[in-house]
Amino acid sequence: EKSQMTFYTVILLFNLLLSASSSLSAPSAPMSSLKTLYLIRHAESYENKLIHSFKTLVGALPSEPGAARPPIMPLFGLLNIPYLVDCPLSEDGVRQCERLNKWTASYETGKDGSTKALVDSLDPCLVVHSPLQRARQTCHAATGLLKPSTRPNTFMPEGVAPSSPGVRVEESPLMIEKTPTEWVPGFGGGLDSRIESFRTWVEEQPEERVVVVGHSQWFKRCLGMTFKFDNCDVWKVEIKEGVWGQATRLYQGNVEDA
């Protein structure tokens, strides 16, 4: 009987130790009280180009009362919505990326005249981009880095690095742009939910400097702005103890000689 009690005592102590150890979470990296985010909107996509052309066409129609106006609704039938949701950059967008690459490549100049690229000057840092093609292409131009993707036909140049020393790269579905359904009044909750989840996530990351490559409507909503970033714009915002500051523009992407 005594040996039986000893056996149950050992089992009880073992279970207590097991439950105590399982309740201890692994130590996480300390959160920084100050974060600096570098926000980059993607370069011009074919969707942007098509919308601009459509607005130009509508603006050229006669506005005088009684003036004959050609029907424009049939034009909507030509739109390939699934393609536009995740389309690549236009020719102008590629040129914008080339200019952005020159700017980020010499982001910081030392006293001796030497230059450092954006991600090198921020080392260590986190690079996070949207999974959509136009954002991936722009992230590659700005940082030379991309998160590998398992989606078919996804932009991933041969030999591109998925990370570099001191730089972590992530792709976040939380950064997907406002969807066609979310433009319908009363159906925009998904965008707000993604943004709120992303804000929480990025504040929890250990890196103090974060490069974020995404979309105009997403950034506008996230920052509570009344206007959109231009294509290839780079903005900077600081987060101090959970409070997001006012964004300031570092680089204007739609200027030819930028």
Side-chain angles (χ1 to χ4, degrees), residues 221-240:
R221 190 74 172 177
C222 179
L223 300 175
M225 304 178 88
T226 57
F227 59 91
K228 301 186 301 180
F229 292 177
D230 288 331
N231 289 120
C232 253
D233 266 7
V234 181
W235 291 68
K236 176 181 175 181
V237 63
E238 290 187 339
I239 309 172
K240 188 172 183 179

PDB file of all heavy atoms in Angstrom, residues 221-240:
ATOM      1  N   ARG A 221      -6.594  53.952 -46.214  1.00  0.00           N
ATOM      2  CA  ARG A 221      -7.461  53.528 -45.115  1.00  0.00           C
ATOM      3  C   ARG A 221      -6.660  53.304 -43.828  1.00  0.00           C
ATOM      4  O   ARG A 221      -7.089  53.676 -42.737  1.00  0.00           O
ATOM      5  CB  ARG A 221      -8.182  52.246 -45.513  1.00  0.00           C
ATOM      6  CG  ARG A 221      -9.289  51.813 -44.573  1.00  0.00           C
ATOM      7  CD  ARG A 221     -10.508  52.672 -44.729  1.00  0.00           C
ATOM      8  NE  ARG A 221     -11.634  52.158 -43.981  1.00  0.00           N
ATOM      9  CZ  ARG A 221     -12.809  52.758 -43.912  1.00  0.00           C
ATOM     10  NH1 ARG A 221     -13.013  53.887 -44.560  1.00  0.00           N
ATOM     11  NH2 ARG A 221     -13.793  52.222 -43.206  1.00  0.00           N
ATOM     12  N   CYS A 222      -5.495  52.702 -43.972  1.00  0.00           N
ATOM     13  CA  CYS A 222      -4.664  52.384 -42.818  1.00  0.00           C
ATOM     14  C   CYS A 222      -4.233  53.645 -42.073  1.00  0.00           C
ATOM     15  O   CYS A 222      -4.217  53.674 -40.839  1.00  0.00           O
ATOM     16  CB  CYS A 222      -3.437  51.608 -43.269  1.00  0.00           C
ATOM     17  SG  CYS A 222      -2.295  51.160 -41.946  1.00  0.00           S
ATOM     18  N   LEU A 223      -3.914  54.700 -42.819  1.00  0.00           N
ATOM     19  CA  LEU A 223      -3.394  55.927 -42.220  1.00  0.00           C
ATOM     20  C   LEU A 223      -4.470  56.986 -42.003  1.00  0.00           C
ATOM     21  O   LEU A 223      -4.178  58.061 -41.469  1.00  0.00           O
ATOM     22  CB  LEU A 223      -2.285  56.507 -43.104  1.00  0.00           C
ATOM     23  CG  LEU A 223      -1.071  55.593 -43.330  1.00  0.00           C
ATOM     24  CD1 LEU A 223      -0.114  56.234 -44.318  1.00  0.00           C
ATOM     25  CD2 LEU A 223      -0.366  55.290 -42.018  1.00  0.00           C
ATOM     26  N   GLY A 224      -5.710  56.698 -42.421  1.00  0.00           N
ATOM     27  CA  GLY A 224      -6.793  57.664 -42.255  1.00  0.00           C
ATOM     28  C   GLY A 224      -6.578  58.922 -43.077  1.00  0.00           C
ATOM     29  O   GLY A 224      -6.932  60.025 -42.652  1.00  0.00           O
ATOM     30  N   MET A 225      -6.009  58.778 -44.277  1.00  0.00           N
ATOM     31  CA  MET A 225      -5.698  59.930 -45.124  1.00  0.00           C
ATOM     32  C   MET A 225      -6.883  60.254 -46.035  1.00  0.00           C
ATOM     33  O   MET A 225      -7.750  59.419 -46.270  1.00  0.00           O
ATOM     34  CB  MET A 225      -4.445  59.661 -45.948  1.00  0.00           C
ATOM     35  CG  MET A 225      -3.226  59.298 -45.108  1.00  0.00           C
ATOM     36  SD  MET A 225      -1.749  58.928 -46.081  1.00  0.00           S
ATOM     37  CE  MET A 225      -1.043  60.554 -46.256  1.00  0.00           C
ATOM     38  N   THR A 226      -6.887  61.465 -46.558  1.00  0.00           N
ATOM     39  CA  THR A 226      -7.956  61.897 -47.464  1.00  0.00           C
ATOM     40  C   THR A 226      -7.531  61.774 -48.923  1.00  0.00           C
ATOM     41  O   THR A 226      -8.290  62.120 -49.829  1.00  0.00           O
ATOM     42  CB  THR A 226      -8.361  63.352 -47.179  1.00  0.00           C
ATOM     43  OG1 THR A 226      -7.195  64.191 -47.307  1.00  0.00           O
ATOM     44  CG2 THR A 226      -8.920  63.483 -45.766  1.00  0.00           C
ATOM     45  N   PHE A 227      -6.320  61.310 -49.162  1.00  0.00           N
ATOM     46  CA  PHE A 227      -5.819  61.163 -50.526  1.00  0.00           C
ATOM     47  C   PHE A 227      -4.996  59.883 -50.618  1.00  0.00           C
ATOM     48  O   PHE A 227      -4.622  59.284 -49.590  1.00  0.00           O
ATOM     49  CB  PHE A 227      -4.952  62.371 -50.917  1.00  0.00           C
ATOM     50  CG  PHE A 227      -3.757  62.561 -50.018  1.00  0.00           C
ATOM     51  CD1 PHE A 227      -2.533  61.981 -50.296  1.00  0.00           C
ATOM     52  CD2 PHE A 227      -3.868  63.334 -48.864  1.00  0.00           C
ATOM     53  CE1 PHE A 227      -1.445  62.152 -49.466  1.00  0.00           C
ATOM     54  CE2 PHE A 227      -2.776  63.522 -48.020  1.00  0.00           C
ATOM     55  CZ  PHE A 227      -1.568  62.923 -48.313  1.00  0.00           C
ATOM     56  N   LYS A 228      -4.701  59.497 -51.853  1.00  0.00           N
ATOM     57  CA  LYS A 228      -3.932  58.273 -52.086  1.00  0.00           C
ATOM     58  C   LYS A 228      -2.472  58.603 -52.379  1.00  0.00           C
ATOM     59  O   LYS A 228      -2.167  59.669 -52.905  1.00  0.00           O
ATOM     60  CB  LYS A 228      -4.502  57.490 -53.271  1.00  0.00           C
ATOM     61  CG  LYS A 228      -5.957  57.075 -53.139  1.00  0.00           C
ATOM     62  CD  LYS A 228      -6.373  56.192 -54.296  1.00  0.00           C
ATOM     63  CE  LYS A 228      -6.199  56.871 -55.633  1.00  0.00           C
ATOM     64  NZ  LYS A 228      -6.614  56.006 -56.761  1.00  0.00           N
ATOM     65  N   PHE A 229      -1.592  57.664 -52.049  1.00  0.00           N
ATOM     66  CA  PHE A 229      -0.209  57.773 -52.485  1.00  0.00           C
ATOM     67  C   PHE A 229      -0.171  57.701 -54.011  1.00  0.00           C
ATOM     68  O   PHE A 229      -0.950  56.967 -54.628  1.00  0.00           O
ATOM     69  CB  PHE A 229       0.638  56.608 -51.956  1.00  0.00           C
ATOM     70  CG  PHE A 229       0.859  56.599 -50.463  1.00  0.00           C
ATOM     71  CD1 PHE A 229       1.552  55.561 -49.877  1.00  0.00           C
ATOM     72  CD2 PHE A 229       0.389  57.616 -49.650  1.00  0.00           C
ATOM     73  CE1 PHE A 229       1.776  55.523 -48.516  1.00  0.00           C
ATOM     74  CE2 PHE A 229       0.596  57.597 -48.278  1.00  0.00           C
ATOM     75  CZ  PHE A 229       1.297  56.542 -47.708  1.00  0.00           C
ATOM     76  N   ASP A 230       0.767  58.413 -54.629  1.00  0.00           N
ATOM     77  CA  ASP A 230       1.004  58.242 -56.059  1.00  0.00           C
ATOM     78  C   ASP A 230       1.764  56.939 -56.291  1.00  0.00           C
ATOM     79  O   ASP A 230       2.386  56.397 -55.374  1.00  0.00           O
ATOM     80  CB  ASP A 230       1.829  59.416 -56.611  1.00  0.00           C
ATOM     81  CG  ASP A 230       1.021  60.698 -56.686  1.00  0.00           C
ATOM     82  OD1 ASP A 230      -0.207  60.610 -56.865  1.00  0.00           O
ATOM     83  OD2 ASP A 230       1.620  61.786 -56.557  1.00  0.00           O
ATOM     84  N   ASN A 231       1.738  56.447 -57.516  1.00  0.00           N
ATOM     85  CA  ASN A 231       2.501  55.241 -57.848  1.00  0.00           C
ATOM     86  C   ASN A 231       3.971  55.426 -57.518  1.00  0.00           C
ATOM     87  O   ASN A 231       4.566  56.458 -57.859  1.00  0.00           O
ATOM     88  CB  ASN A 231       2.353  54.899 -59.330  1.00  0.00           C
ATOM     89  CG  ASN A 231       0.978  54.390 -59.690  1.00  0.00           C
ATOM     90  OD1 ASN A 231       0.279  54.970 -60.510  1.00  0.00           O
ATOM     91  ND2 ASN A 231       0.569  53.294 -59.077  1.00  0.00           N
ATOM     92  N   CYS A 232       4.540  54.447 -56.849  1.00  0.00           N
ATOM     93  CA  CYS A 232       5.960  54.405 -56.493  1.00  0.00           C
ATOM     94  C   CYS A 232       6.356  55.427 -55.429  1.00  0.00           C
ATOM     95  O   CYS A 232       7.551  55.602 -55.168  1.00  0.00           O
ATOM     96  CB  CYS A 232       6.843  54.578 -57.729  1.00  0.00           C
ATOM     97  SG  CYS A 232       7.640  53.019 -58.219  1.00  0.00           S
ATOM     98  N   ASP A 233       5.402  56.090 -54.812  1.00  0.00           N
ATOM     99  CA  ASP A 233       5.718  56.996 -53.702  1.00  0.00           C
ATOM    100  C   ASP A 233       6.333  56.220 -52.545  1.00  0.00           C
ATOM    101  O   ASP A 233       5.986  55.052 -52.301  1.00  0.00           O
ATOM    102  CB  ASP A 233       4.444  57.678 -53.192  1.00  0.00           C
ATOM    103  CG  ASP A 233       4.204  59.032 -53.835  1.00  0.00           C
ATOM    104  OD1 ASP A 233       4.939  59.386 -54.773  1.00  0.00           O
ATOM    105  OD2 ASP A 233       3.276  59.738 -53.385  1.00  0.00           O
ATOM    106  N   VAL A 234       7.225  56.890 -51.793  1.00  0.00           N
ATOM    107  CA  VAL A 234       7.770  56.333 -50.557  1.00  0.00           C
ATOM    108  C   VAL A 234       7.446  57.302 -49.426  1.00  0.00           C
ATOM    109  O   VAL A 234       7.800  58.485 -49.499  1.00  0.00           O
ATOM    110  CB  VAL A 234       9.290  56.118 -50.644  1.00  0.00           C
ATOM    111  CG1 VAL A 234       9.817  55.504 -49.341  1.00  0.00           C
ATOM    112  CG2 VAL A 234       9.658  55.236 -51.824  1.00  0.00           C
ATOM    113  N   TRP A 235       6.760  56.806 -48.411  1.00  0.00           N
ATOM    114  CA  TRP A 235       6.375  57.617 -47.254  1.00  0.00           C
ATOM    115  C   TRP A 235       6.947  57.001 -45.988  1.00  0.00           C
ATOM    116  O   TRP A 235       7.223  55.800 -45.938  1.00  0.00           O
ATOM    117  CB  TRP A 235       4.850  57.716 -47.147  1.00  0.00           C
ATOM    118  CG  TRP A 235       4.214  58.534 -48.231  1.00  0.00           C
ATOM    119  CD1 TRP A 235       4.134  58.224 -49.557  1.00  0.00           C
ATOM    120  CD2 TRP A 235       3.562  59.801 -48.083  1.00  0.00           C
ATOM    121  NE1 TRP A 235       3.479  59.208 -50.245  1.00  0.00           N
ATOM    122  CE2 TRP A 235       3.110  60.195 -49.366  1.00  0.00           C
ATOM    123  CE3 TRP A 235       3.310  60.642 -46.993  1.00  0.00           C
ATOM    124  CZ2 TRP A 235       2.425  61.392 -49.583  1.00  0.00           C
ATOM    125  CZ3 TRP A 235       2.626  61.834 -47.207  1.00  0.00           C
ATOM    126  CH2 TRP A 235       2.192  62.203 -48.490  1.00  0.00           C
ATOM    127  N   LYS A 236       7.098  57.834 -44.981  1.00  0.00           N
ATOM    128  CA  LYS A 236       7.664  57.386 -43.707  1.00  0.00           C
ATOM    129  C   LYS A 236       6.702  57.720 -42.575  1.00  0.00           C
ATOM    130  O   LYS A 236       6.138  58.810 -42.528  1.00  0.00           O
ATOM    131  CB  LYS A 236       9.010  58.088 -43.478  1.00  0.00           C
ATOM    132  CG  LYS A 236       9.676  57.802 -42.147  1.00  0.00           C
ATOM    133  CD  LYS A 236      10.993  58.581 -42.064  1.00  0.00           C
ATOM    134  CE  LYS A 236      11.670  58.446 -40.721  1.00  0.00           C
ATOM    135  NZ  LYS A 236      12.937  59.224 -40.670  1.00  0.00           N
ATOM    136  N   VAL A 237       6.485  56.754 -41.691  1.00  0.00           N
ATOM    137  CA  VAL A 237       5.618  56.995 -40.528  1.00  0.00           C
ATOM    138  C   VAL A 237       6.233  56.308 -39.317  1.00  0.00           C
ATOM    139  O   VAL A 237       6.816  55.222 -39.438  1.00  0.00           O
ATOM    140  CB  VAL A 237       4.182  56.479 -40.780  1.00  0.00           C
ATOM    141  CG1 VAL A 237       4.148  54.977 -40.972  1.00  0.00           C
ATOM    142  CG2 VAL A 237       3.248  56.885 -39.644  1.00  0.00           C
ATOM    143  N   GLU A 238       6.132  56.951 -38.175  1.00  0.00           N
ATOM    144  CA  GLU A 238       6.668  56.376 -36.942  1.00  0.00           C
ATOM    145  C   GLU A 238       5.537  55.908 -36.038  1.00  0.00           C
ATOM    146  O   GLU A 238       4.465  56.536 -35.978  1.00  0.00           O
ATOM    147  CB  GLU A 238       7.535  57.401 -36.204  1.00  0.00           C
ATOM    148  CG  GLU A 238       8.837  57.704 -36.926  1.00  0.00           C
ATOM    149  CD  GLU A 238       9.753  58.595 -36.098  1.00  0.00           C
ATOM    150  OE1 GLU A 238       9.241  59.294 -35.183  1.00  0.00           O
ATOM    151  OE2 GLU A 238      10.979  58.600 -36.353  1.00  0.00           O
ATOM    152  N   ILE A 239       5.781  54.796 -35.349  1.00  0.00           N
ATOM    153  CA  ILE A 239       4.832  54.251 -34.378  1.00  0.00           C
ATOM    154  C   ILE A 239       5.513  54.305 -33.014  1.00  0.00           C
ATOM    155  O   ILE A 239       6.556  53.670 -32.811  1.00  0.00           O
ATOM    156  CB  ILE A 239       4.441  52.800 -34.701  1.00  0.00           C
ATOM    157  CG1 ILE A 239       3.990  52.660 -36.154  1.00  0.00           C
ATOM    158  CG2 ILE A 239       3.354  52.317 -33.748  1.00  0.00           C
ATOM    159  CD1 ILE A 239       3.770  51.214 -36.588  1.00  0.00           C
ATOM    160  N   LYS A 240       4.955  55.070 -32.107  1.00  0.00           N
ATOM    161  CA  LYS A 240       5.539  55.191 -30.768  1.00  0.00           C
ATOM    162  C   LYS A 240       4.539  54.730 -29.737  1.00  0.00           C
ATOM    163  O   LYS A 240       3.470  55.311 -29.592  1.00  0.00           O
ATOM    164  CB  LYS A 240       5.947  56.640 -30.492  1.00  0.00           C
ATOM    165  CG  LYS A 240       6.732  56.805 -29.189  1.00  0.00           C
ATOM    166  CD  LYS A 240       7.278  58.209 -29.044  1.00  0.00           C
ATOM    167  CE  LYS A 240       8.124  58.331 -27.772  1.00  0.00           C
ATOM    168  NZ  LYS A 240       8.695  59.690 -27.629  1.00  0.00           N
TER     169      LYS A 240
END
